[in-house]
Amino acid sequence: MFNNTYKYKPAGDKIVLTVRHNSSEASAKTIITNSADISITELPRIFYKFYHLSSVDIWNQGSFRLGLSIVQKLTGQLQGNI
């Protein structure tokens, strides 16, 4: 997921990676933040296979848009959420 954040960020944008560990719950939380603007109507669909944002030039990206779908599946298998 960090790779996608870097790959699709606006030029000059900063990425903030925050990792929090809670030993009492045996859990860790990873937060990746950038200034990418995803409309509220498209947000529920970003994990769909082959989905692309309407504002992104799909011919310039060179991918099949499976990354976030795979990340969501793997996260679920590890009993996490995204």
Side-chain angles (χ1 to χ4, degrees), residues 46-49 65-74:
I46 64 171
F47 295 104
Y48 290 1
K49 293 178 183 174
R65 308 300 307 148
L66 293 171
L68 290 176
S69 176
I70 292 169
V71 166
Q72 185 182 43
K73 285 230 183 265
L74 291 173

Side-chain angles (χ1 to χ4, degrees), residues 8 48-53 61 63-69:
Y8 299 110
Y48 290 1
K49 293 178 183 174
F50 310 111
Y51 183 75
H52 65 87
L53 298 174
Q61 299 304 323
S63 78
F64 291 107
R65 308 300 307 148
L66 293 171
L68 290 176
S69 176

